[in-house]
Amino acid sequence: MNSQTIKQDNIAQQLRYLVGQNLLSSISLILFGVYVFIALTGSYWVPYDPLESNTTIALQGPSSQHFFGTDHLGRDVFSRVIVATRLDLGIALAAVSISFFVGTFLGALAGYYGGWYERLIGRLADIVLAFPLFVLAMGIVAVMGNSLINVIYATAIINIPFYIRISRAEVSLQRDRQYVQAALLSGNSHFRTLLFHILPNCLPNLIVQISINMGWAILNAAGLSFIGLGVRPPVAEWGILVAEGADYIISGQWWLVLFPGVVLMLAVFTFNLVGDTLRDLADPQKRK
Amino acid sequence: MLYDKIQLIIKRLMLAVPTLFGVLVISFCLTRALPGDPAVYFAGAMADEASIQQVREKLGLDRSLPYQFLAYCNNLLNGELGQSLTTGQSVTYEIKARLPASLELTLLGLFMGLLTAIPLGILAALKPNTWIDHLCRVLVTAGASTPIFFSGLFLMFVFYYLLGWSPSPIGRLDFIYLEPPHVTGFYTIDALIIGDYEVFKAAFAQLLLPASTLALCALAPIARMTRSSMITALESEYVKAAKANGISAKMRVYVYALQNASLPLLTVIGLVFGFLLGGNVLVEKVYSWPGIGSFAIDALVASDYAAIQGFVLIMAVLFVTLNLIIDILYTLFDPRMGRNE
């Protein structure tokens, strides 16, 4: 009875309830909005051209002119960090979308049809997870070629198994429910039933996974570009910005590493927290 | 009972066979999926048509794929991973020489992570919603969000540049020391074996910062798991029964609850080891650590494929083996296993 009424609440009410419950959740949602805003509009309002170098002001600390200081070529670190947001979030979003669609589809088929197909898909997921994932991503990029698109593919591949597992488990829970029988009886094909009747009911858990995965994907892509894969200088990307600053950290130019690093960390933190918030939303037991 | 367990362990070992096979297939695909013709690549830039053909035959590239796969497995069994282009040595030699450096770092990192995370998790579980629980939560969330290369550089800045406590963060040993004679390949242990405390201290001081970086990365999942499985164990019937029977609090926490909570912990350690093997690459880059991670990065920059493939394969085999060991330990320790078989 109680869960019925909560289910009928709209999302705005649920959000308000959660925000009241947990300060961190509301902070994370605000931060999420800020990041999306920066990614969409950042390149239009940054104070300097992120690629414009001016060696007369190289390696200056933070000041009122250059909030985050300047790098070894005199480029404005603040502008570079802001402009990089779109690229980093874009890479993560592209990679996570690929793994979401491919993984969910494969997992759903496995969960629905079962049999040897389910065993095969499950085995494949296990094998990918048998690798240390960052190492596998390195190997994939090395073999497919060192380019941005391959970094996206590699990040997507290492995350696919998680979606396979979740959607397989969810679909095999749902497939014997009565509404599925009803859908089939009223003339829907198996495929249509799976796609339009079962999968929408599996979405909550998948969405939680998407949010957490966004954080991993950002970390993974930044790690790969930190070791020189994918995005290349002079393009502004958080991993590269930290890598460029790494040479100056032992001579005390901390701002080159600190600002892009903190912005990167905060982005991952935000997505992790949003994931936690969504998990609470998706889990009716926690909501009570 | 014991017989059942042995049976379970054998079953587990058999289950690892298809996984290892899959790992081999994927690494084989990585060797054959090179852009262009591998023979042209491995023959080198100066090769003519005849020598390319020669390399093709030598590598077996003119045969069928299943044959090539068998040949690949055969090479692996002989410890043959090909030639590294960057160093001119065989990949097997390079990996053998550099693996101890990476393992020393990873294992110390894991150990330090366990040493801080488990007490933290226990304290948080004993006093939920106090400052220690909040501290645990903040550390866990921050640890899961911090890029490992960033925390590495941050520690370097604080402890080397600002405080000056740490030696110059480059390599395994300051150049004024001679490396200890090779026994295990772990400098700290080798130095202890010959009783050279000076070198031990120097090697340990070099290890401390990179290992702490890895420990920070390992801390989060271990503390989270300790906390949640301790809370579950402490709320369970058997702990209540123990309390009702007048068993002391210390005994309840450290024997009754912790013993039961240690099983899920074991699983998490396997998972964390995987993170650390990946994170190791980044830490080795930050601290110029001469392990297999920095070898792989050099190879990546130089498109040295044999070296990268060897690296990926070794990492995967290490990870699979560790998980297998953990599963076997799990079977041995968990009295419930093998009872219903």
Side-chain angles (χ1 to χ4, degrees), chain A residues 43-63:
Chain A
S43 53
Y44 303 112
W45 51 260
V46 285
Y48 297 89
D49 179 353
L51 296 178
E52 184 190 81
S53 54
N54 176 6
T55 41
T56 51
I57 52 163
L59 292 175
Q60 287 181 352
S63 65

Side-chain angles (χ1 to χ4, degrees), chain B residues 254-267:
Chain B
Y254 294 105
V255 179
Y256 284 66
L258 189 59
Q259 229 172 40
N260 283 283
S262 61
L263 282 173
L265 253 183
L266 212 52
T267 317

Side-chain angles (χ1 to χ4, degrees), chain B residues 6-20:
Chain B
I6 290 171
Q7 226 176 4
L8 265 182
I9 289 173
I10 290 173
K11 221 186 213 168
R12 188 60 196 81
L13 284 172
M14 301 295 282
L15 268 179
V17 172
T19 309
L20 264 181

